[in-house]
Amino acid sequence: MLALAATSGLNVLTSCSVQKSADELPLPGAVAKELEMPDGSTIRYRAYEHLYYVTNVEDSAYQYLNLYIPESVYESGGADVPIFFRTYVGGYRAAKAKEPSGLDASGRALQEGYVVCIPGSRGNDSAVEDDGKKVYTGRVPAGLLDLKAAIRYLRANDARLPGNAERIITDGTSAGGAMSSLLGATGNSPLYEPYLEKMGAADARDDVFAAVCYCPITDLDHADMAYEWLYQYADPTVRPLTGEQQEIAQELAQAYPEYLNSLQLKTADGTLLTADNYLDYLKTFLIRSAQKARDEGCTIPDGIGVILNVVKRGGPHGPQGAQQGQPGAQRPQGPQNFAPQEQGDFVLDIDLPAYLSYVATTRELKTPPSFDAMGVLTDAASPENQVFGDADGGSANFTAYSLRKATGNPTAEPDEVLRRRIYLMNPMNFIADQGSTKAPHWFIRHGARDRDTAFPVPLNLATKLMNNGYDVDFFLPWNRPHSGDYNLDELFAWVKRVTAAP
């Protein structure tokens, strides 16, 4: 059915005029394999590899998935076993379908007895050669479409393959975390249907059961503004900027409140969030993070903005506390329930400017604009500029602000086609949209010293989901930089909880 050839190291497809649907594509035999885990244990599993999930394969290096089934699940049929869908997208680059690793959640998922799917997908660097011309195949929204097509393949072949396609849990980090959030927010949206039909994706649903999103680099059309709005409060000596950079940073920071206010986000008690009270909201999550670290015995250095209240043994009236000359301070009520204790300390507050300055000392902050940089103060294209570019390899500005700076035209706007593509890559556009099926369960993590995007980006995502009634487990893990698939005990305890039979 598919004739694939290699030319100059790039993959080329020649397809016959008669195509089968993706749920009728050939299924190879399962191969027995083993994986040695860090604890010395060995996992035996079966592998289905190189399963092409569309009939019109444009780039055979990426448009397939691998499926891995624990031996016991394979022998029993495993029709009710959840499927852990792990994407390795990073930097909006192409990602090949890998084998499971004992060093991340893919191996742990096998160890826990779940079916593991690892899809390949195109990205800003994927290309094929067509009549001697290099064609870039992975420009937005191609990578997301590939992942959606892989999910449709699993659903269409649910009866042929082990695992329950009604229990798909996506997992990704950074740009992969963004893809996971998009998969969770855009299920079955008709806006993607023409693209998927053209690709030859299966005629099946593409909604998922749960989305695991580590440090999602998302809401790209507002990420530059969020970054400057937040880090304007850091000590300028830890982020020295040129005069031109300062001007850009100030203009972006001033533009963010309008967007933030437009979201109409609310706290758990129904308080409307605005640019005026948002930083206090953010602090509650940082306080929760620092408190958990203290309760686990971590030492928090002085001078980073964490204000502790020391609780000492008291007399007949219970513990007494003191902080900054305030006797008898009470333990604050926050998002975490604290066990009673006679002595110890708790986090009273966060001096946010001091804390943001600390974050900036752990890794140098980005220069403005952080994402849509091309043509503003540099000619270099960011990975995001590249992924919004065209099939000829050109890059594109995806915000009106940067486009106007790059062109010198004060009224310039992305054209209609690009605006549509930008819209399709922002999960915030779909959370309240009745036209898409959202994942009911969300696990979102962003390190408490991760500066790759600003804290409001993941926090807005989590808050909007919570405001719309979805089950969200959101946390800013203390002292964690930009990374993913950590604290796997916590992750898989959550997976076990949400997938448990009602």
Side-chain angles (χ1 to χ4, degrees):
M1 181 180 64
L2 299 177
L4 302 176
T7 304
S8 302
L10 299 171
N11 294 293
V12 181
L13 167 73
T14 304
S15 57
C16 302
S17 57
V18 178
Q19 296 282 3
K20 295 183 178 180
S21 63
D23 58 326
E24 296 175 323
L25 290 173
L27 185 64
V31 178
K33 293 191 174 185
E34 294 183 350
L35 174 65
E36 186 173 345
M37 297 294 288
D39 62 5
S41 62
T42 299
I43 301 172
R44 294 177 174 80
Y45 63 95
R46 296 295 181 97
Y48 291 100
E49 296 180 313
H50 274 80
L51 303 180
Y52 287 94
Y53 47 69
V54 291
T55 56
N56 299 328
V57 179
E58 184 179 22
D59 197 330
S60 62
Y62 302 106
Q63 291 181 284
Y64 65 87
L65 62 83
N66 295 336
L67 198 67
Y68 302 102
I69 304 100
E71 187 72 29
S72 59
V73 173
Y74 180 82
E75 291 176 351
S76 66
D80 295 325
V81 175
I83 300 173
F84 196 79
F85 188 92
R86 175 51 156 102
T87 175
Y88 285 90
V89 173
Y92 286 95
R93 295 183 297 274
K96 288 196 173 184
K98 298 184 179 182
E99 294 191 46
S101 168
L103 301 178
D104 63 31
S106 61
R108 177 63 180 269
L110 278 177
Q111 191 174 44
E112 294 287 335
Y114 302 123
V115 172
V116 173
C117 177
I118 303 179
S121 58
R122 294 166 293 171
N124 59 24
D125 56 345
S126 57
V128 298
E129 195 161 302
D130 184 13
D131 291 333
K133 179 183 177 182
K134 192 173 185 179
V135 178
Y136 287 83
T137 64
R139 302 309 166 98
V140 163
L144 175 60
L145 296 172
D146 286 345
L147 298 175
K148 281 180 164 289
I151 289 167
R152 289 185 172 206
Y153 179 90
L154 294 175
R155 284 194 180 279
N157 290 279
D158 202 18
R160 292 205 295 166
L161 294 166
N164 183 357
E166 296 299 322
R167 289 290 186 270
I168 295 175
I169 302 143
T170 66
D171 174 31
T173 296
S174 193
M179 290 297 190
S180 188
S181 70
L182 281 159
L183 292 171
T186 66
N188 309 320
S189 170
L191 297 181
Y192 302 89
E193 191 62 40
Y195 301 95
L196 290 163
E197 183 176 346
K198 184 177 180 181
M199 293 165 61
D203 184 14
R205 290 163 34 218
D206 55 55
D207 59 295
V208 299
F209 179 74
V212 176
C213 312
Y214 285 100
C215 50
I217 302 295
T218 191
D219 196 7
L220 292 174
D221 30 335
H222 306 101
D224 288 332
M225 295 186 295
Y227 204 89
E228 300 310 322
W229 182 76
L230 181 68
Y231 284 108
Q232 69 179 322
Y233 297 103
D235 185 337
T237 62
V238 301
R239 190 199 188 196
L241 299 177
T242 67
E244 287 182 309
Q245 290 172 335
Q246 289 174 1
E247 181 181 349
I248 297 295
Q250 185 177 33
E251 289 175 351
L252 286 167
Q254 290 172 347
Y256 192 59
E258 180 180 359
Y259 171 68
L260 189 57
N261 295 343
S262 75
L263 293 175
Q264 295 287 292
L265 301 175
K266 294 181 180 180
T267 65
D269 66 4
T271 302
L272 181 66
L273 286 166
T274 69
D276 294 329
N277 62 4
Y278 189 92
L279 293 179
D280 288 332
Y281 179 61
L282 168 61
K283 287 202 300 182
T284 66
F285 291 91
L286 291 170
I287 289 170
R288 178 186 175 195
S289 177
Q291 184 62 60
K292 184 173 186 292
R294 290 298 301 136
D295 290 347
E296 292 174 350
C298 297
T299 299
I300 296 178
D302 293 334
I304 69 169
V306 179
I307 301 171
L308 298 175
N309 191 109
V310 178
V311 180
K312 300 178 180 178
R313 293 183 186 275
H317 300 294
Q320 298 292 311
Q323 186 275 327
Q324 294 184 346
Q326 299 174 4
Q330 299 298 308
R331 180 179 286 274
Q333 298 301 308
Q336 181 175 351
N337 293 321
F338 300 100
Q341 59 184 42
E342 288 189 335
Q343 66 180 6
D345 54 51
F346 62 90
V347 179
L348 181 68
D349 199 2
I350 296 281
D351 179 339
L352 195 59
Y355 183 74
L356 294 174
S357 300
Y358 160 70
V359 171
T361 64
T362 64
R363 188 178 177 192
E364 185 178 2
L365 295 180
K366 297 180 178 182
T367 55
S370 302
F371 298 95
D372 193 358
M374 183 184 70
V376 182
L377 297 177
T378 177
D379 292 331
S382 70
E384 292 79 16
N385 288 136
Q386 293 168 350
V387 82
F388 280 106
D390 56 36
D392 294 330
S395 299
N397 293 113
F398 51 89
T399 64
Y401 178 86
S402 290
L403 181 62
R404 291 169 185 177
K405 290 291 184 181
T407 62
N409 179 354
T411 61
E413 296 279 353
D415 64 36
E416 182 180 354
V417 173
L418 181 55
R419 286 200 303 273
R420 186 181 308 119
R421 294 166 63 214
I422 294 166
Y423 188 92
L424 294 175
M425 290 301 290
N426 192 339
M428 299 292 285
N429 295 328
F430 294 86
I431 293 171
D433 176 15
Q434 299 302 311
S436 65
T437 306
K438 268 67 68 176
H441 305 287
W442 295 75
F443 184 93
I444 304 174
R445 293 293 185 269
H446 184 94
R449 64 176 179 90
D450 182 347
R451 65 27 132 199
D452 281 41
T453 195
F455 296 128
V457 170
L459 182 53
N460 290 348
L461 174 66
T463 304
K464 189 164 186 176
L465 286 162
M466 288 186 282
N467 288 172
N468 282 273
Y470 298 102
D471 171 37
V472 182
D473 187 324
F474 176 74
F475 195 64
L476 300 172
W478 186 253
N479 205 34
R480 173 65 61 174
H482 193 67
S483 53
D485 278 10
Y486 47 78
N487 200 341
L488 294 181
D489 290 343
E490 177 186 61
L491 170 61
F492 282 96
W494 176 84
V495 171
K496 184 176 181 180
R497 176 180 69 79
V498 300
T499 57

